[in-house]
Amino acid sequence: MTYYLVIFAAGFAGSFHCIGMCGGFACGLGRDQRGGGATVARHLLYNTGRLTTYCFLGGLAGALGQVICTTQGSMATPLLNGSLDIAQRILAIVAGLLMIGMALQFFGLLQVFHRLALGFGGSTFAMSLRSLLTARSSAAPLAFGVFNGFLPCPLVYAFAAQAASTAGAVPGFLVMASFGLGTFPAMLMVGGVGRILGPAWRRRGVRLAGGFILLLGLITLGRGLLPSDAHIGHAWLGGLPA
Amino acid sequence: MERRLNGEACAFCCYGCCIAFQVKIGRHEEWEAAWLLIQLGVGGFLSMNIMMFSLLLYSDAFIGVDAGVLPWVHLLLWIFATPAVVMLGGPYLREMWLNGIQGRVTSSALIVLGVAAAYLYSAFAVFEGSTHVYFDTAVMVLMLFTVGRYLEAVGRARAARDLEPLLAAESEGATVVDGAAEIRRPVREVSAGMLVRVRPGERIPVDGVVVEGESNTDEAVITGESRQVTKGAGSKVIAGSINIDGPLLIQSSGDGTATRWARICRSVREALGRRSPTQRLADRVVGVSVPLVLALGGLTIVYWAQSLPFDRALLIGLSVLVVACPCAVGLAAPMATSLGIGRLARHGCLVRDPGVLETLARVRLLAFDKTGTLTAGKARLVGVDCEEVCIDEVLARAAGLERLSEHGLGWAIAAAAAQRGITPLVTRDVRTVPGRGIRGSAEGRPVAAGNGRLMNDLGWPLPPSLTERARSLEASGHSVVYVGWGEQVHALLSLDDSPLPEAQAAIADLRERGLDSTLLTGDLAQAAERIAALVGIKDVQAGLSPEAKRLALDRLRHDYGSVAMVGDGLNDGPVLAAADVGIAVGSATDLARETAALVLPADGLWMLPWIVDVARAVRRTILTNLMWAFGYNLVALTFAAFGLLQPILAAAVMAGSSILVVVNSLRLERLPDPVPALIPEQRSGAEVERARHTVGASVMAGSAVERS
């Protein structure tokens, strides 16, 4: 449980980055003419759409991790006895390094991930989403949220990597659900429901998010590198449910 | 990261921010696209939830789960799946129904039957308490096909992007100025004499004359030349050209529906609506294959049901239906063709029949008409030979007669005299002698200009030195006009129709592409051979009537297979219609335009090699698309029938196949723009050079004889 709370907190801290990035969308959706209740509903729908996509990606990444580990385990004789087999360790190392890289980027130290995202062809996507922002249908914010969830974003990559390292559809789903729920308050706040934070606070938030991601990355890396007896992830965070 | 948007460098923290910015600043609003996206988004929401619950079901977390929980998860899946199937499957069901009542079975039937089987079986299982449900298959198949179709639509929109502004501006209308009021009216309601206001950036809706304002205009869509032409008060403007940088007030010179641009728009719309032979073939294949696939799907289920549980057999049958959906086959030809048509239209080349591009790519011989196609179609005075008189006197007398003439040669003589600043001699009692020339009297003496027979009729002798010269000029294909007065022939005027400056380069470029050229003309053999030699054509057939041209074309077709005919004249109509590809070029007459399948803009001869390149690229793209689509369908169908392909995977790869066809076709956008062998500035320079040379030659020829 503690593990998911840490992810929730990381999502919450990371949402200060979201304000800068996806906050534009939330502002674009704006207030509903029919009043406060309708505005809250509109933004809840948008965020639910986003959350669904995150959960889907988490479940998928987890299942993929599971497939990798199962295939590896069935093909090769396990070199290590214990709760983690070699494939899961490799997965944890890769995910951990990826998260540490993302964290460094949040501190402004490593810009390679931005460049990686650059290759993604998205202008068509952007053109399409534009028409959704102006649509009046109540289902539009939900649809918009679903698509928004797929936008290339370092935070989502980081937690998708974390989800993959759990090597299970259910824990993967829960990782991304916790992360997504963590981003809810800030996103609701900027979406016409509350007030927008100033740039200084956003910078602090982004650093905090970087700290959380670094911590999670180190734990994940540790899961891959350290002997299972000395496993800090299990000892400190109560282990994974898988 | 930095990106250039609307010409400005913008800094973003990541790619997501960049997209967010593009979305926010965009003004693009299309309700239909939004509605499709809403469907996709909500469908995505439902199907992702279904996938997640299904993943949970598949996951080891649920192994050994209390059997009492499973029915509730199944029920939840049913609750999510039902609206998703209704919403995403509705369009396919409607399509199947509409085709069905016309007696056609199309690919939508495959999708509907496959999905309906999976959904109904699973719904039945939920209420029966069975352990296996396939809602994820039913919904994801629909979702993937819908995403595939959406991406196809985006691809098609890009294909039509070249045509969209053209066609949209026509339907948008014109701002008619009526006193102080400015009223927006459809272009078809604009008639001659009306004042029309055109703002910078707008397309000029009607042909007319500028009354007020000055601006640069781009006439590429009409003339094919992308160069800016400055227009001020009194300048003529052409409908379809774009007003670039200043407001213009135009007086319409005709009906809004009668402009060349309106005709282009109509033809392009018609061409896009028609289907090329390959498209028709693909349609027929699809029409035949769908019932076959349905039968194969049924057989697969029956076969596998004997060795596997029914739900497994059903799933294999479903894979067969899904994977055999011939979406990519149906998309292969139209996608590439419409991109090709759009590409040509942007440069003013009008395709009237979509099949023409595929045929042109196969053509190995182009037959050219001479006058007006390879040449400007206007005679020019190129030499004056005279005996004991000066050139100016000859031209003054000839022009005195010819300025009243209606003959093309007469105009050329009068024009040449005017160009040299010679005042035509006052001539009375002028009358034309049909088939011979023109005669009258000046300064009390009879004067005549015409052919040798006119001089024979008049009994005017030709000096021996000029007799020899006349023979050699006629042998070299020149038109010769004898000028005489005082009962004697005093001079010979030689005229000819020079080849267009771009003709030689165009023929050479075509030869480089492996295309032979031939000249089919009604003109005299010598004149035809002279022009052919100048432009680089070896094979010439001259003195042909329109009917004989058609027969000659049939013979060429026998030798070469497909033959394209390039012409402009009234008499080219039948032969343009008879050719495999009729190409009207230059200031083509309406008949030539009506019968040609491809119409080039005025002075568009230089674009021919580029058009051949585009046609070949289109054909290549269609062939690779079809090979991929058919090959993929066959291989995937085999895998599916043997139970080696999951339905979701089949749908994913099927959608991917369509996207591949779209992406392959979009490569046509990367083809280079046409590069004139002579760019317009150079061309106008070459024309000046040629005119100087023409006048110089006449003076030199005249002086040489004078001295003798």
Side-chain angles (χ1 to χ4, degrees), chain A residues 5 9 13 22 25 33 41-42 51 58 75 85 97 108 115 121-122 142 160 167 169 176-177 191 211-212 235 237:
Chain A
L5 280 177
C22 300
F25 292 133
Q33 301 291 329
R42 192 174 165 79
L51 182 68
M75 279 164 69
D85 71 357
L97 288 175
R115 281 196 288 278
L142 181 73
M176 288 300 271
F212 272 111
L237 296 176

Side-chain angles (χ1 to χ4, degrees), chain B residues 4-298:
Chain B
R4 291 198 76 78
L5 292 172
N6 302 335
E8 285 175 34
C10 305
F12 299 100
C13 78
C14 67
Y15 190 62
C17 302
C18 173
I19 295 181
F21 179 74
Q22 284 181 47
V23 171
K24 277 193 288 172
I25 62 162
R27 285 166 298 175
H28 191 70
E29 290 178 24
E30 277 175 17
W31 171 244
E32 280 174 35
W35 175 236
L36 185 62
L37 273 178
I38 289 171
Q39 277 186 308
L40 261 179
V42 176
F45 171 77
L46 294 168
S47 51
M48 282 193 297
N49 278 300
I50 290 166
M51 277 311 284
M52 282 187 292
F53 282 111
S54 303
L55 277 173
L56 301 188
L57 273 184
Y58 300 146
S59 147
D60 53 0
F62 269 81
I63 290 174
V65 78
D66 184 358
V69 177
L70 274 181
W72 293 106
V73 178
H74 287 170
L75 193 67
L76 203 64
L77 283 172
W78 176 75
I79 291 169
F80 275 119
T82 306
V85 166
V86 170
M87 195 174 66
L88 296 172
Y92 293 100
L93 188 68
R94 199 162 46 243
E95 203 175 301
M96 185 180 93
W97 170 253
L98 289 176
N99 285 320
I101 52 177
Q102 289 176 352
R104 282 184 295 153
V105 187
T106 55
S107 53
S108 51
L110 298 179
I111 302 168
V112 169
L113 287 180
V115 168
Y119 173 77
L120 291 175
Y121 177 87
S122 306
F124 185 70
V126 168
F127 295 104
E128 272 289 296
S130 167
T131 47
H132 292 104
V133 291
Y134 301 105
F135 290 119
D136 54 337
T137 302
V139 174
M140 282 313 275
V141 163
L142 276 176
M143 190 63 202
L144 286 166
F145 270 103
T146 311
V147 169
R149 289 223 168 166
Y150 177 72
L151 292 173
E152 272 173 38
V154 170
R156 275 171 191 269
R158 270 179 76 179
R161 194 181 56 187
D162 291 343
L163 299 169
E164 206 177 312
L166 187 101
L167 300 178
E170 195 214 16
S171 50
E172 244 175 40
T175 310
V176 175
V177 180
D178 188 7
E182 291 190 1
I183 312 149
R184 199 81 185 154
R185 281 192 183 180
V187 175
R188 62 177 181 280
E189 287 179 18
V190 178
S191 52
M194 283 184 174
L195 290 174
V196 177
R197 169 112 38 222
V198 188
R199 291 180 179 82
E202 278 187 345
R203 202 175 276 276
I204 294 169
V206 286
D207 292 337
V209 178
V210 177
V211 180
E212 195 183 291
E214 191 176 298
S215 176
N216 287 309
T217 62
D218 178 359
E219 300 181 342
V221 76
I222 305 297
T223 62
E225 286 177 17
S226 280
R227 81 177 147 151
Q228 296 186 6
V229 189
T230 309
K231 303 283 181 183
S235 309
K236 279 187 182 170
V237 287
I238 320 168
S241 48
I242 295 166
N243 177 22
I244 297 172
D245 46 12
L248 290 175
L249 186 64
I250 293 162
Q251 182 159 41
S252 168
S253 59
D255 196 348
T257 54
T259 63
R260 172 144 191 242
W261 178 51
R263 280 208 302 275
I264 289 181
C265 291
R266 271 199 297 277
S267 297
V268 169
R269 277 206 185 93
E270 283 167 20
L272 284 176
R274 286 194 207 118
R275 299 181 89 66
S276 73
T278 314
Q279 270 170 268
R280 285 197 292 271
L281 179 71
D283 290 349
R284 273 206 298 278
V285 170
V286 168
V288 173
S289 69
V290 171
L292 279 178
V293 169
L294 284 175
L296 183 68

